[in-house]
Amino acid sequence: MTARPQPPALSPHVRALLDAARACAALYVVAHHVAKGYGFPGLTGHLLRFGQEAVIVFFLLSGFVIFANERVRALSPRGYAWRRVRRIYPPLIVAMIVSTLVYWDNGTLARHFDAGRLIGTLLAIQDVSTLKPGVWADPYLGNDPLWSLSYEIAFYIIFPPTLALWAKRPALTTHAVGAIGCGAYALFAMVPNHLALVIAYYPLWWAGAMAAQAYLDGERSVRAIAVPLAWLVALCGVALVVALVQPRYGIGLYPILPLRHFVVAAVVVAVMFGPIGRLMGRASAWSPALWSGVASISYGLYVLHMPLLVDWQRAKGAGGFALAAVLLIALAWSVERWLPRLLPRAPSR
């Protein structure tokens, strides 16, 4: 009996680079919100202003990793859906419980509790209304980092049908993703709504997926990802036109903010799939255990740091902040490393 050929795998250098990127992005987002929440002055505050861009790196990494790991298994909807739910929701629910306890301990739960935000976050339709129009629900109890999960969950849902189409018509599918994304952003500019914005961001996630596909096919040149990269550039063009036409209120708000996101995505994809990315991959391989350790709890750090380090009144002093930081690491480890062991796994077939 002939053994089934195994799909190509990521090299140790690439795995180390992915871990390093995920770890650095998570730590930067934590530092960004701490700096913003505590009003860090001067150069430090300016250097930590780009938390949104770090989240865009997460989107690209997610597309890359999900495609690399799920490009065959995602065509089996039941197992794929359970793996995604098992990954996203347990830490999210723990983070929402922690936020509830923090606001209760602060004595402000009754004032800040909003059932619409609770339901919206559980249904993954949350975003930050102070940054962009068309938001259906803000994140529960002001845990703003949770905004990205509504996009991430939507991308998980869109991926299997996209993958099925891509398996039959790869070039046409990538063109369709890019064109629909550009059209969705133009529609959002005319009629702001969360669904259109999520669809507009999907080409970023798909560009990460197509970078993984090119890498697994043995390609090491940016020319191999020319099509998804070209659509990212087109998306930047649409966002630039929108930014020029519509009123602008600041570089951190719509319509400049999505333009920043799209530009960063295009630059990161182009740079990381070239010589600089290979050099960084070799450098990351020098300390893979460090990057792997931080990356393994990065999602927990991401969803839990805001209530513990910024919202909790007991964390305002030096000693309280140190205690909150220790609690953050312990909880992040628990939800990422211990909690999954208690949950049933998806069926193998």
Side-chain angles (χ1 to χ4, degrees):
M1 180 178 179
T2 304
R4 176 184 292 182
Q6 295 298 314
L10 302 177
S11 72
H13 283 176
V14 170
R15 292 189 180 277
L17 177 59
L18 294 172
D19 284 341
R22 189 163 46 144
C24 290
L27 293 175
Y28 185 89
V29 170
V30 173
H32 163 75
H33 285 111
V34 169
K36 184 178 179 180
Y38 289 84
F40 282 18
L43 181 61
T44 302
H46 286 294
L47 292 176
L48 294 174
R49 293 178 59 186
F50 305 101
Q52 291 269 329
E53 282 73 12
V55 175
I56 298 306
V57 173
F58 276 132
F59 287 166
L60 296 171
L61 290 173
S62 175
F64 192 102
V65 172
I66 294 298
F67 185 91
N69 293 332
E70 298 277 6
R71 61 193 183 279
V72 175
R73 298 188 301 171
L75 296 176
S76 176
R78 180 184 173 190
Y80 168 79
W82 177 244
R83 284 190 296 274
R84 294 302 95 211
V85 169
R86 187 175 181 270
R87 170 62 177 154
I88 287 289
Y89 268 93
L92 170 61
I93 292 172
V94 170
M96 296 173 71
I97 293 172
V98 169
S99 287
T100 303
L101 293 174
V102 163
Y103 275 80
W104 173 79
D105 188 62
N106 290 345
T108 58
L109 179 60
R111 189 189 335 151
H112 290 96
F113 178 81
D114 186 308
R117 295 186 178 191
L118 171 64
I119 296 171
T121 302
L122 289 174
L123 293 178
I125 57 172
Q126 75 278 9
D127 209 333
V128 182
S129 61
T130 58
L131 301 181
K132 64 199 74 167
V135 172
W136 292 342
D138 280 279
Y140 179 62
L141 287 177
N143 191 352
D144 285 351
L146 300 185
W147 73 269
S148 65
L149 298 188
S150 66
Y151 292 75
E152 191 71 25
I153 292 172
F155 299 159
Y156 290 163
I157 294 171
I158 299 171
F159 176 56
T162 309
L163 183 65
L165 293 173
W166 176 85
K168 298 177 181 179
R169 303 290 296 273
L172 180 61
T173 301
T174 299
H175 282 300
V177 168
I180 292 172
C182 290
Y185 191 71
L187 174 63
F188 175 83
M190 294 182 287
V191 185
N193 68 92
H194 182 69
L195 179 60
L197 196 59
V198 168
I199 295 173
Y201 274 71
Y202 186 60
L204 282 64
W205 196 92
W206 185 249
M210 290 298 92
Q213 182 268 328
Y215 177 85
L216 293 169
D217 280 352
E219 300 290 349
R220 299 297 183 267
S221 168
V222 72
R223 291 191 298 271
I225 54 170
V227 173
L229 184 58
W231 279 111
L232 288 184
V233 173
L235 193 55
C236 293
V238 174
L240 177 60
V241 171
V242 171
L244 292 174
V245 170
Q246 296 197 345
R248 296 178 296 279
Y249 302 103
I251 62 172
L253 304 173
Y254 174 84
I256 303 298
L257 183 61
L259 175 60
R260 285 170 48 188
H261 291 169
F262 301 153
V263 169
V264 166
V267 170
V268 170
V269 169
V271 169
M272 296 306 292
F273 210 80
I276 294 178
R278 290 192 290 273
L279 179 63
M280 293 180 67
R282 288 192 291 269
S284 302
W286 292 344
S287 53
L290 172 63
W291 299 125
S292 176
V294 179
S296 68
I297 63 171
S298 60
Y299 177 44
L301 294 174
Y302 181 79
V303 298
L304 287 163
H305 74 272
M306 190 76 174
L308 289 172
L309 299 183
V310 180
D311 297 335
W312 198 16
Q313 291 301 315
R314 296 182 189 273
K316 299 306 180 184
F321 187 87
L323 174 63
V326 171
L327 185 58
L328 169 63
I329 295 171
L331 280 175
W333 185 90
S334 297
V335 300
E336 293 266 54
R337 307 288 291 275
W338 175 74
L339 184 58
R341 300 176 186 175
L342 305 179
L343 303 173
R345 293 183 175 273
S348 59
R349 294 181 63 84

